[in-house]
Amino acid sequence: MEIGGIISAIIVGLIIGALGRLFAPGRQSISLIVTILVGILAAFLGAWLVPSDDGFSILTLVVQLVLAVVGVIIAAQLLGRNKRSRI
């Protein structure tokens, strides 16, 4: 991956992380930094799983968004601030 691809993956990751948090069900009590890191990771992983020849693919974006939603849900379960048990 070239430097332009890395920079674009980071920028897309910021947006994908925010959208992943928006589309994740329920309330997520994770920090903004964790959301951004999940989005960047989802952007890199999605670009690796579904590479595109011309640099842009709707399928790649959909895969990145799904990965971000799953990542936000997992991060909220593992790192959530409000882990009170309700009886």
Side-chain angles (χ1 to χ4, degrees):
M1 185 177 267
E2 10 180 283
I3 190 72
I6 293 172
I7 292 172
S8 64
I10 290 172
I11 293 170
V12 168
L14 296 172
I15 298 167
I16 291 293
L19 288 173
R21 188 167 180 162
L22 178 69
F23 289 131
R27 186 170 190 267
Q28 300 82 33
S29 57
I30 56 174
S31 68
L32 183 62
I33 299 296
V34 172
T35 303
I36 291 170
L37 291 176
V38 166
I40 292 172
L41 182 65
F44 278 113
L45 190 59
W48 180 71
L49 288 173
V50 187
S52 61
D53 293 333
D54 59 356
F56 177 77
S57 170
I58 295 294
L59 180 62
T60 304
L61 286 174
V62 170
V63 169
Q64 289 170 336
L65 181 59
V66 169
L67 289 171
V69 169
V70 170
V72 164
I73 292 170
I74 291 171
Q77 291 294 318
L78 294 176
L79 304 171
R81 293 185 199 141
N82 299 328
K83 289 192 168 187
R84 281 191 270 163
S85 61
R86 296 181 182 153
I87 298 177

